[in-house]
Amino acid sequence: GFVAKVRLRDMLNAGTFDVASSAGASGQAMERKRLSRSGVSFADQLVREGLARPASAKNQSWCG
């Protein structure tokens, strides 16, 4: 988690980025934000780098 947090901070500090809003999935009251730069999602980048799991991934225990 710490490495992902530092990487996200570095991505945010690297320059301008876009923020897009979308309504949450059915049953969710929260609005979701999508951060991207040049069309590349920050979340997708963190997943590609192995620092995050896709939102569609099943929750797994941290201890395996």
Side-chain angles (χ1 to χ4, degrees):
F2 179 77
V3 174
K5 179 175 75 170
V6 169
R7 176 67 174 121
L8 178 59
R9 182 201 63 204
D10 292 345
M11 292 166 72
L12 292 168
N13 288 332
T16 60
F17 55 89
D18 299 310
V19 179
S21 296
S22 63
S26 62
Q28 287 184 333
M30 290 182 53
E31 179 181 16
R32 291 188 168 202
K33 304 286 187 198
R34 181 177 192 271
L35 303 176
S36 63
R37 180 177 293 116
S38 301
V40 178
S41 162
F42 285 14
D44 292 345
Q45 182 67 34
L46 291 171
V47 169
R48 276 192 300 277
E49 294 177 9
L51 299 173
R53 287 188 292 235
S56 61
K58 290 184 177 185
N59 275 343
Q60 297 178 353
S61 171
W62 62 270
C63 61

